[in-house]
Amino acid sequence: MRKKILKGVFCSALSIVMATGGVFVSAAPKQAEVTTKIQSVQNSKIVNLQQTKTSENTKSKAQARTAVQLNNVTVPTIWNTSVKSAVKSVTLENGNDIGTITIKNAGTLVAAFGVDFVVRDANYQYIMGSTNGLLYNANMKPGTYHLYTKDVVKGTANISLSLYPNQNNRTLGSKVIMIGGTGKNSYQYFKVSKRGIAIIGLQGVWVNPTNFGKTYGITNYVQKKSGSSWKTVSSSQYTTESRNYNSVYGLPAGSYRVVLKSTYQSGVIGAAYRQVAANSSYGTSKKKAKTISRKKYKKQTFLTTDSVKKEHWYKIKVSKKRTTYIDVTSLGSSGTIYCTVSGKARFKTKNIKNGTRYYLKAPKGTYYIRVKRYSKSTTGAYQVKYVK
């Protein structure tokens, strides 16, 4: 019997960190088949990162060039929390001494002021100066620093200060934490309670004072705790230019850390984490295919460590000739996932949100669904639903 194969392809390039997903069908003797690709949902707001605008006090630059002076006044201490900002209204009178700031933990300092200013250490040695009222410095060490305007001025304006800590080993959650740039790897921790996808939301906050909020050039990969050591269990992913970006990893339950590094040595990174469980039973071969009842579904994950040859098998039973829908959708993936549908009749296909619908007035019989990875780097989760 002549084999008939219908191919339908739809791929989507993602902006905040993700690749395409897919669905594939292979031929079986005396059976019809159809092949498609599942659309990835890497950029589907799985982790919703709100753009953080700490210290971006651009209005102060537009204020009068008569700025501020603070004699014997200390700007509030910047504590070692996810983000701590201090905005202080200060007045200068025929001087240039703004005041002092105290930093308790190392991090990236961002400051904005109405005029250009300089920072000196406790011994009054020059550390750095601002450009157009903005100052940005990575690896700011703990200590007390003195701020001065570059010129003697008088007037009132606001000075805004923020510190993004360099601290490693924090636990990621749904709330964005800010990580100061060091030019080295940053290690942030998370736990997976049940087999599924770990979604690492990433956000570029500061690359430099004139390039705010670009998320690109951040490499990231996952390590799993094994005894007292850490083992790399994923390929590296690389963010594209966008405000927000989601990296997706299929993982079993366990303790993990994500390794982050910005191409820009001092670039500040925002990071958050969310888990989506996908752990339904599946068959490892056609003979062992798991049944999906009418109007029910299965959710499953391809792990970062799975073999490319690994297949997930399901089947549905059509009790009489009737209109039948099977929806295969991505829950979040990196790389291409294929799905195979085969049986007595060849299903038609159409694109739906995040995936493919197989539909047909199907004859009575059993139909098989096979899902597999395209390459070693493919990872993520999907859902197969016997709609009707």
Side-chain angles (χ1 to χ4, degrees):
M1 178 179 179
R2 184 179 179 179
K3 299 177 183 177
K4 296 181 180 180
I5 300 178
L6 175 64
K7 295 186 178 179
V9 177
F10 58 103
C11 299
S12 164
L14 303 170
S15 63
I16 258 185
V17 163
M18 294 186 121
T20 59
V23 181
F24 170 82
V25 178
S26 66
K30 298 181 180 180
Q31 289 191 340
E33 307 168 339
V34 62
T35 302
T36 62
K37 288 184 178 181
I38 302 172
Q39 183 182 5
S40 168
V41 291
Q42 196 163 7
N43 186 17
S44 63
K45 295 185 179 178
I46 304 172
V47 172
N48 187 18
L49 294 173
Q50 298 299 323
Q51 186 67 27
T52 304
K53 293 186 177 180
T54 52
S55 298
E56 192 191 14
N57 188 6
T58 55
K59 291 183 179 180
S60 66
K61 293 188 293 182
Q63 293 178 4
R65 287 292 172 175
T66 56
V68 286
Q69 159 141 349
L70 238 132
N71 290 315
N72 302 318
V73 175
T74 301
V75 176
T77 298
I78 302 171
W79 302 98
N80 183 26
T81 56
S82 56
V83 178
K84 220 28 169 173
S85 298
V87 178
K88 185 75 175 178
S89 179
V90 291
T91 301
L92 282 172
E93 294 182 3
N94 301 320
N96 67 342
D97 182 3
I98 301 172
T100 62
I101 62 171
T102 301
I103 296 175
K104 287 198 169 185
N105 296 91
T108 297
L109 177 68
V110 179
F113 198 36
V115 295
D116 277 336
F117 58 100
V118 298
V119 178
R120 297 180 182 274
D121 64 17
N123 297 318
Y124 298 95
Q125 296 297 310
Y126 177 86
I127 300 295
M128 76 203 89
S130 69
T131 301
N132 295 324
L134 286 172
L135 180 145
Y136 172 88
N137 192 60
N139 288 314
M140 199 76 172
K141 296 179 180 179
T144 298
Y145 297 88
H146 301 268
L147 276 64
Y148 298 87
T149 59
K150 290 183 178 179
D151 300 309
V152 175
V153 292
K154 59 172 16 179
T156 301
N158 290 332
I159 181 168
S160 175
L161 301 166
S162 286
L163 184 80
Y164 300 90
N166 298 342
Q167 183 182 355
N168 280 314
N169 307 339
R170 283 178 286 176
T171 299
L172 293 177
S174 59
K175 184 178 180 181
V176 180
I177 67 168
M178 314 310 294
I179 304 162
T182 63
K184 299 179 181 179
N185 286 340
S186 173
Y187 301 90
Q188 308 302 335
Y189 289 61
F190 63 94
K191 287 188 176 182
V192 175
S193 60
K194 190 175 183 180
R195 179 187 176 108
I197 51 174
I199 305 151
I200 308 296
L202 297 172
Q203 178 187 81
V205 183
W206 284 91
V207 172
N208 57 54
T210 59
N211 194 0
F212 179 82
K214 296 294 183 181
T215 303
Y216 56 91
I218 302 173
T219 58
N220 57 104
Y221 59 91
V222 170
Q223 294 181 330
K224 185 177 183 182
K225 191 170 185 180
S226 178
S228 59
S229 61
W230 292 90
K231 180 181 179 181
T232 298
V233 293
S234 77
S235 302
S236 291
Q237 296 190 30
Y238 190 79
T239 62
T240 56
E241 183 174 352
S242 174
R243 289 279 177 169
N244 299 328
Y245 188 90
N246 289 327
S247 286
V248 172
Y249 298 97
L251 301 170
S255 296
Y256 296 87
R257 68 182 184 184
V258 60
V259 184
L260 302 169
K261 185 176 182 180
S262 175
T263 299
Y264 301 90
Q265 291 189 356
S266 54
V268 175
I269 300 171
Y273 163 69
R274 183 185 169 191
Q275 178 191 358
V276 175
N279 194 33
S280 300
S281 59
Y282 65 91
T284 55
S285 66
K286 183 176 181 180
K287 188 176 292 187
K288 297 179 180 179
K290 296 294 182 180
T291 299
I292 303 177
S293 301
R294 198 161 179 252
K295 298 184 180 181
K296 300 295 182 180
Y297 59 85
K298 297 279 190 181
K299 293 181 179 180
Q300 191 46 251
T301 307
F302 281 110
L303 305 179
T304 59
T305 53
D306 278 345
S307 166
V308 176
K309 295 180 180 180
K310 187 161 190 175
E311 299 176 346
H312 298 171
W313 283 87
Y314 309 95
K315 63 184 177 183
I316 67 167
K317 295 180 180 180
V318 178
S319 58
K320 61 181 179 180
K321 187 173 183 178
R322 63 168 173 244
T323 299
T324 302
Y325 290 172
I326 304 169
D327 287 355
V328 183
T329 53
S330 173
L331 302 178
S333 63
S334 176
T336 300
I337 298 174
Y338 286 106
C339 176
T340 302
V341 175
S342 60
K344 289 183 177 180
R346 185 180 63 208
F347 278 72
K348 299 176 183 179
T349 64
K350 68 176 181 179
N351 297 347
I352 58 174
K353 184 178 180 181
N354 302 328
T356 300
R357 167 165 288 177
Y358 300 84
Y359 65 100
L360 185 69
K361 192 165 186 178
K364 178 181 177 180
T366 300
Y367 296 85
Y368 293 89
I369 303 152
R370 180 184 69 169
V371 187
K372 64 179 295 185
R373 310 165 78 199
Y374 175 72
S375 68
K376 186 177 180 180
S377 62
T378 298
T379 183
Y382 63 88
Q383 175 180 283
V384 180
K385 184 173 183 179
Y386 182 7
V387 179
K388 68 177 184 177

